[in-house]
Amino acid sequence: MATIIRGKEVAEQVLSQVKADVAALLARGVTPCLAVILVGDDPASRIYVGKKKEKCAELGMRSLEFTLPAETQEEELLALIAKLNADESVHGILCQLPLPKHLDEQTIVRAVAPKKDVDGFTCRISADARRDLMPCTPAGVMEMLAYANVSIAGKHCVVVGRSNIVGKPMAALLLQADGTVTICHSKTRDLANITRQADILVAAVGKPHFITADMVKEGAVVIDVGVNRGADRKVIGDVDFEAVEKKASMITPVPGGVGLMTIAMLMKNTVRAAAQQNP
Ligand code: GUN
């Protein structure tokens, strides 16, 4: 049976450090502030934005919310981002995705000043970019691996999924940590043959229970980034947890795994941004 790496424990550890960092900034007269932009009225996005604001308040940080109508034009949104970029009391800016179809996500995301990009979407992930804010979900996975004392150097890390938010930056972070990295996706041939070679397998496909036990090597570390809705509307991961747990050496559950890390890392990025902007 695999050891379960619980997101709650790791997130609590990260957040207790964030709390200490917030206290140190407050003592210097700096209140870390996160600006959240929500365009349109996607119900899931509204819930996520609410959770981010709640977490800021809980940690003694300030948050600002800008809710714009779904028909907002690109120029208006870019003008708001430019205003927040120039506002010294705002340390982090986050534009909740997905955006309405008529807005180009890349254009919007790139408009956020890199020093305030607490989502880490503009992060270059290179050895000379230590000041960059890391993308939250992949950085959360790295935090979980560190917490569980999983060494990455020389290991075969297989990432299933190539999204801009998770798959690609995840692969880059594992490579940065000296892993040997393979990225698989929907067009990959003989997928199971590749996933079975993984010492560390990261599932970020967005398909419920896509990774089955026959796709996993005995003793592998399995990280499930999936957030899917099952037939009963319950949240389920990309990994068939019950079966894979019997083969893996370590595994993250869904819910209660990587999902809890994303918001913790967002808070960590926001205090880090505030500290970097107030040396
Ligand atoms: N939508 C889904 N995940 C994310 C995220 O990490 N950041 C933002 N801004 N939007 C999202």
Side-chain angles (χ1 to χ4, degrees):
M1 275 308 218
T3 301
I4 298 176
I5 313 174
R6 296 194 189 279
K8 191 160 183 278
E9 281 169 39
V10 193
E12 269 169 11
Q13 192 183 65
V14 169
L15 289 172
S16 77
Q17 182 59 50
V18 170
K19 257 187 201 157
D21 294 345
V22 170
L25 281 164
L26 289 174
R28 292 204 281 123
V30 179
T31 307
C33 175
L34 172 66
V36 185
I37 304 170
L38 176 62
V39 186
D41 45 18
D42 179 66
S45 289
R46 171 128 294 291
I47 293 171
Y48 291 137
V49 164
K51 284 191 176 163
K52 289 168 187 177
K53 287 172 58 193
E54 256 170 45
K55 194 55 90 178
C56 282
E58 198 183 308
L59 295 166
M61 289 159 46
R62 207 156 73 91
S63 69
L64 304 171
E65 182 182 333
F66 298 86
T67 308
L68 306 179
E71 57 278 9
T72 299
Q73 292 305 303
E74 184 174 284
E75 305 80 72
E76 276 175 80
L77 184 50
L78 290 176
L80 172 60
I81 293 171
K83 194 177 98 185
L84 295 170
N85 278 342
D87 185 338
E88 284 186 10
S89 72
V90 171
H91 308 106
I93 304 169
L94 175 157
C95 190
Q96 188 66 32
L97 303 180
L99 289 169
K101 292 275 178 287
H102 67 281
L103 295 168
D104 179 53
E105 269 177 17
Q106 286 302 313
T107 305
I108 302 304
V109 158
R110 285 204 205 105
V112 176
K115 66 177 183 182
K116 297 193 179 186
D117 173 22
V118 285
D119 263 321
F121 291 162
T122 59
C123 172
R124 290 157 296 165
I125 313 178
S126 60
D128 59 354
R130 290 183 210 285
R131 288 171 68 87
D132 278 9
L133 300 163
M134 296 293 166
C136 300
T137 302
V141 170
M142 298 303 281
E143 203 78 46
M144 292 180 97
L145 291 171
Y147 182 87
N149 285 316
V150 176
S151 66
I152 296 163
K155 299 274 178 66
H156 190 184
C157 308
V158 176
V159 179
V160 189
R162 57 171 158 178
S163 69
N164 290 328
I165 296 189
V166 182
K168 282 181 208 155
M170 184 75 253
L173 287 179
L174 290 164
L175 181 62
Q176 183 69 14
D178 297 327
T180 301
V181 181
T182 302
I183 307 179
C184 301
H185 47 79
S186 52
K187 301 269 188 327
T188 299
R189 270 188 256 157
D190 203 2
L191 177 66
N193 184 33
I194 299 172
T195 57
R196 268 197 297 269
Q197 294 171 40
D199 302 308
I200 300 171
L201 178 62
V202 181
V205 229
K207 291 190 182 138
H209 291 186
F210 181 77
I211 303 291
T212 47
D214 60 301
M215 297 169 79
V216 176
K217 178 167 79 174
E218 196 77 43
V221 174
V222 180
I223 307 290
D224 190 349
V225 186
V227 181
N228 313 290
R229 295 273 167 192
D232 54 3
R233 306 293 300 147
K234 276 201 188 127
V235 174
I236 56 171
D238 287 350
V239 176
D240 180 0
F241 182 90
E242 232 175 87
V244 172
E245 184 195 21
K246 297 186 176 80
K247 252 180 141 178
S249 62
M250 292 187 196
I251 190 167
T252 65
V254 176
V258 178
L260 297 174
M261 295 306 297
T262 305
I263 197 161
M265 300 312 282
L266 174 68
M267 297 298 119
K268 181 173 167 171
N269 274 349
T270 305
V271 277
R272 191 161 169 231
Q276 285 179 353
Q277 286 161 48
N278 293 277

